[in-house]
Amino acid sequence: MKRSEVVKDIIRDFLVIFASIIIIITVLRQIFMPELAFDLISIYTIMGFSLLGALTGLMLYAPDEVSEQAMRVRIVIHFLLLELLLITLASLIGAVASVSAALLFALQIAVVYAIVRLLSYEKDKKEAEQINERLKAVKQEVRE
């Protein structure tokens, strides 16, 4: 994969993560705490966590072809590293102060991670379909 594609994917992941977090928090705040508004520090904190989450995605990119099993292992390691890194950072800045808050934060990370992985899967599926269509067209040209 080219570097420009990797950078594009990281930026896309950052924006998806950031948007997902903002949307989830906005909906939950409207339900449970409608009087609570976003402050600038909260937005910057969410941006920082989103960027950190997107940058850890670098470990999923390999210059050579990777087997499906190796990629699944990388995804699991990436998820665990991301959970550990974000919960540790949240506890250091005081955003997570108890075990129950850490567990809730871990669940939130898992939901956002699942959203990003699902969107990445859909993108990969579309690209695979396009490649298959091109291969079919080439096969037909060769037969003729």
Side-chain angles (χ1 to χ4, degrees), residues 16-138:
V16 168
I17 293 167
F18 182 68
S20 299
I21 293 170
I22 293 295
I23 291 168
I24 290 167
I25 290 174
T26 302
V27 169
L28 291 176
R29 282 187 178 179
Q30 287 300 312
I31 295 169
F32 297 109
M33 292 183 258
E35 69 282 351
L36 189 61
F38 284 108
D39 61 335
L40 204 50
I41 300 289
S42 298
I43 298 292
Y44 288 148
T45 303
I46 294 169
M47 286 176 80
F49 278 74
S50 300
L51 182 61
L52 185 62
L55 288 177
T56 59
L58 283 172
M59 73 177 287
L60 297 175
Y61 298 102
D64 300 324
E65 291 295 320
V66 178
S67 70
E68 179 129 359
Q69 183 180 7
M71 184 53 78
R72 287 183 181 157
V73 169
R74 282 180 180 225
I75 289 171
V76 169
I77 292 170
H78 175 251
F79 175 70
L80 294 174
L81 174 69
L82 186 62
E83 287 274 1
L84 179 68
L85 192 62
L86 292 178
I87 291 172
T88 302
L89 182 61
S91 66
L92 288 175
I93 66 170
V96 173
S98 67
V99 174
S100 62
L103 291 174
L104 180 62
F105 189 52
L107 179 63
Q108 292 168 348
I109 293 168
V111 168
V112 172
Y113 191 82
I115 291 169
V116 172
R117 296 300 313 155
L118 180 66
L119 292 175
S120 295
Y121 171 77
E122 290 297 322
K123 178 184 169 256
D124 291 344
K125 192 168 120 179
K126 286 180 185 177
E127 287 177 4
E129 288 173 2
Q130 290 174 349
I131 291 170
N132 286 337
E133 288 175 13
R134 285 189 223 134
L135 288 174
K136 286 178 186 176
V138 169

Side-chain angles (χ1 to χ4, degrees), residues 1-19:
M1 185 178 272
K2 295 178 184 175
R3 287 184 185 174
S4 61
E5 292 176 14
V6 172
V7 170
K8 187 172 93 172
D9 284 349
I10 289 173
I11 291 171
R12 184 201 67 223
D13 288 349
F14 164 72
L15 293 173
V16 168
I17 293 167
F18 182 68

